[in-house]
Amino acid sequence: MGIKRRHWALAAAPLALSLLAATGCESTPGARAKPAATPSTPVAGVCAKPAAGPAKAPAGAVTVDPAVVGDLAAKTKSSPPNTTFWLRPGKHRLEPDRYAQVIPKKGDSYLGAPGAVLDGRKTNQYAFGGTARDVTIRYLTVQGFVAPRDEGVVNHDSSDGWVIEHATIQNNSGAGLMAGARQRVRASCLRDNGQYGMNAYKGTGRISGLVVEGNEIVGNNTGDWERRQKGCGCTGGIKFWAVNGADVRGNWVHDNRGAGLWADTNNNDFLIEGNVLEANDGAALIYETSYNAVIRKNTIRRNNWVEGRRYADSGDNFPFATIYLSESGGEPRIRARTDKIDIYRNVLENNWSGITLWENADRFCNSPANTSSGDCTLLVKNTHRCAQPAIATAPLYADCRWKTQRVDIHGNRFVLDKSVVDCTVRCDRMAVLANYGTYPDWSPYQGERVAEAITGKQHNRWHDNVYVGPWKFVAHDPSRILDSGQWQGTPYQQDAGSTFRAGDGG
């Protein structure tokens, strides 16, 4: 599928970010946070209590018999477009061929009766594929399929206009679900899939108008892909690639191995609102080499305990955080509902660190450190233009790199009790920083240019927040650790109007 590979950006400049020997963390290596039994604020826990489908076939629907192997695929093939299929209670099976799958026609709908399951039996790779638009899947459990890495079980070919509602997609390899333009995923359970709950990736064209609302996204990446293929950047609850316009609202994203939500490479115009993001092994949210987002009114707690602790215990002094913005910022020239990244009215409680704004000085179009290989910013159509001598002058000097800029962090509540997180150092940081630019030898961004820009010149601003607990602040580079007074003072002048209560607890 040509999925772009990514690793933590600091790995591209090992000389720039030195490692320290001790962390002061008292932990059990690899320990995970206790799974959340119920969401902490009102969102739907749909996995435990999935909505029931119609007990009788709707008028005009084609009835599918679980006793007949391949009945669903055969009746889909023989029926006209815009047909409704009602799957009887029981376990439905496809033909025992790895490529056997259902190929819907335009406008087809699939409704599961109570207890209807489409089971791949660890034999079939895909459940629903093909190029048909406007397909609907409701009240159906899809499980036991073995899609390859980076591929998906439902909507395998990323067709447009699909609606997935009140579905349970669980215990599959690869991604439970792919995404196309105008896709709606609502009130569904994406659980215990081998790589992602959903992989929002389209091989040709961009995804726009994506809605992910009221779902429970839990326990995904059972295959532990980051350990199997170090630096693949291919794990988490949901991964978004080049999505232009997404509303991610009211979801419960928890206990995923890796990040909860991860937007990577030229995403734009996201609204991430009213979600509960908790107890994910990695960051709750990564927004990487992307643009323009509103992140508001989310409850974010107990994230990054596993990955943050692992890096700290290894002696890594990089401020891995629960919201990680990597080469991402606001860009007025790219159309969106906002021209910044606006992070406000969120509650972050007892995560491994807070928010990190990062920019890798060596990562830009045509650089060997650009892990989104072959991609360039949305401001430069011809990647080959980003070369000497033109890259050293305007406008390419600015436009050939993804920039962490115009980030506005305000009205949030940050709570840290180190006795809850079980850590003494390196779990308590808010950060804005870059590495020292070193390569390639033709790079115009060498030295401290990028660190100085992200820290003081790119309109990144914290203000009017509430801090409870012993927070520290990192500016410019990992070695520059500040207390709240230094953070608020010259030259940084951050967190004007904010309040600080240093004692542990909430």
Side-chain angles (χ1 to χ4, degrees):
M1 290 181 62
I3 291 287
K4 298 166 283 294
R5 296 175 61 185
R6 175 221 185 257
H7 56 79
W8 290 108
L10 79 162
L15 297 178
L17 300 178
S18 61
L19 303 179
L20 301 182
T23 70
C25 296
E26 299 172 1
S27 64
T28 301
R32 299 186 67 180
K34 184 179 179 181
T38 56
S40 306
T41 60
V43 291
V46 295
C47 292
K49 296 181 179 179
K56 296 182 179 180
V62 174
T63 297
V64 181
D65 187 353
V68 179
V69 174
D71 196 39
L72 179 60
K75 286 179 174 173
T76 297
K77 185 176 181 180
S78 63
S79 300
N82 300 301
T83 297
T84 296
F85 301 89
W86 179 71
L87 285 73
R88 289 183 181 274
K91 191 170 287 187
H92 296 255
R93 296 161 293 165
L94 301 174
E95 295 290 343
D97 177 87
R98 64 187 295 189
Y99 297 114
Q101 59 189 287
V102 182
I103 306 294
K105 297 183 176 74
K106 185 178 187 298
D108 282 351
S109 294
Y110 298 86
L111 302 178
V117 176
L118 180 60
D119 194 336
R121 297 173 292 165
K122 303 298 181 183
T123 299
N124 310 114
Q125 290 189 349
Y126 317 118
F128 294 91
T131 59
R133 297 187 174 194
D134 305 326
V135 173
T136 298
I137 299 171
R138 291 189 173 103
Y139 306 109
L140 182 63
T141 294
V142 179
Q143 65 185 31
F145 288 81
V146 286
R149 202 200 91 177
D150 297 330
E151 299 186 37
V153 169
V154 175
N155 196 10
H156 168 259
D157 297 293
S158 301
S159 298
D160 296 340
W162 284 42
V163 175
I164 295 91
E165 291 182 332
H166 304 293
T168 298
I169 303 174
Q170 63 183 9
N171 301 319
N172 303 287
S173 300
L177 176 64
M178 301 298 287
R182 298 177 288 102
Q183 182 158 297
R184 305 290 189 266
V185 184
R186 293 192 176 104
S188 293
C189 172
L190 308 181
R191 174 170 60 188
D192 296 336
N193 295 290
Q195 188 179 3
Y196 306 113
M198 182 171 75
N199 186 12
Y201 172 83
K202 192 175 178 70
T204 57
R206 300 190 73 192
I207 297 171
S208 60
L210 178 64
V211 173
V212 182
E213 184 173 26
N215 305 285
E216 185 173 353
I217 302 153
V218 53
N220 295 290
N221 186 28
T222 59
D224 201 6
W225 275 100
E226 293 290 346
R227 288 203 178 195
R228 292 169 63 180
Q229 188 166 336
K230 186 175 177 61
C232 74
C234 61
T235 59
I238 299 181
K239 191 78 182 278
F240 304 88
W241 308 86
V243 174
N244 186 30
D247 289 0
V248 183
R249 300 188 298 253
N251 303 284
W252 186 21
V253 184
H254 66 104
D255 294 285
N256 294 285
R257 177 176 283 155
L261 304 173
W262 188 346
D264 187 356
T265 310
N266 287 338
N267 297 277
N268 175 52
D269 194 18
F270 271 51
L271 171 64
I272 301 171
E273 177 180 45
N275 303 283
V276 175
L277 310 172
E278 61 185 337
N280 297 290
D281 283 6
L285 170 64
I286 301 174
Y287 206 69
E288 179 180 4
T289 55
S290 294
Y291 303 90
N292 300 327
V294 175
I295 302 165
R296 67 187 181 195
K297 303 178 184 178
N298 301 285
T299 298
I300 302 171
R301 60 182 64 187
R302 297 186 296 110
N303 295 281
N304 205 29
W305 286 16
V306 174
E307 292 189 4
R309 194 184 313 277
R310 183 184 302 142
Y311 282 107
D313 285 349
S314 74
D316 196 326
N317 69 337
F318 187 83
F320 295 97
T322 197
I323 296 179
Y324 179 41
L325 271 57
S326 176
E327 293 91 21
S328 292
E331 176 49 73
R333 290 173 290 174
I334 298 173
R335 185 175 180 179
R337 72 195 84 190
T338 182
D339 61 4
K340 59 185 176 179
I341 294 184
D342 202 2
I343 303 175
Y344 66 97
R345 294 184 65 185
N346 302 284
V347 176
L348 284 79
E349 181 176 344
N350 292 327
N351 301 284
W352 191 280
S353 289
I355 299 175
T356 286
L357 310 187
W358 160 255
E359 198 169 322
N360 180 0
D362 299 323
R363 186 181 190 184
F364 54 91
C365 302
N366 275 341
S367 168
N370 178 19
T371 52
S372 297
S373 302
D375 284 284
C376 195
T377 70
L378 294 179
L379 301 173
V380 178
K381 302 301 182 183
N382 183 353
T383 305
H384 298 293
R385 294 175 61 208
C386 296
Q388 286 287 12
I391 194 174
T393 60
L396 293 180
Y397 180 84
D399 292 352
C400 287
R401 63 176 302 109
W402 295 271
K403 291 191 289 188
T404 303
Q405 63 178 7
R406 301 175 61 84
V407 180
D408 193 2
I409 302 167
H410 59 104
N412 303 285
R413 180 177 174 85
F414 302 108
V415 178
L416 176 64
D417 185 339
K418 288 186 176 181
S419 69
V420 173
V421 181
D422 188 22
C423 178
T424 56
V425 297
R426 296 197 189 160
C427 61
D428 54 2
R429 293 176 290 176
M430 207 73 58
V432 53
L433 76 165
N435 59 314
Y436 188 91
T438 58
Y439 74 99
D441 58 9
W442 52 271
S443 168
Y445 311 110
Q446 294 186 21
E448 297 185 353
R449 295 178 183 182
V450 174
E452 291 170 352
I454 189 175
T455 304
K457 301 176 182 178
Q458 292 180 180
H459 307 288
N460 297 313
R461 185 173 175 233
W462 280 255
H463 62 99
D464 299 298
N465 298 294
V466 174
Y467 293 87
V468 179
W471 289 94
K472 293 184 175 65
F473 303 88
V474 180
H476 189 274
D477 63 77
S479 68
R480 198 171 298 184
I481 301 173
L482 314 172
D483 61 26
S484 60
Q486 293 168 317
W487 176 245
Q488 289 184 301
T490 303
Y492 310 108
Q493 297 183 322
Q494 292 289 0
D495 265 316
S498 297
T499 61
F500 299 84
R501 196 172 82 224
D504 283 354

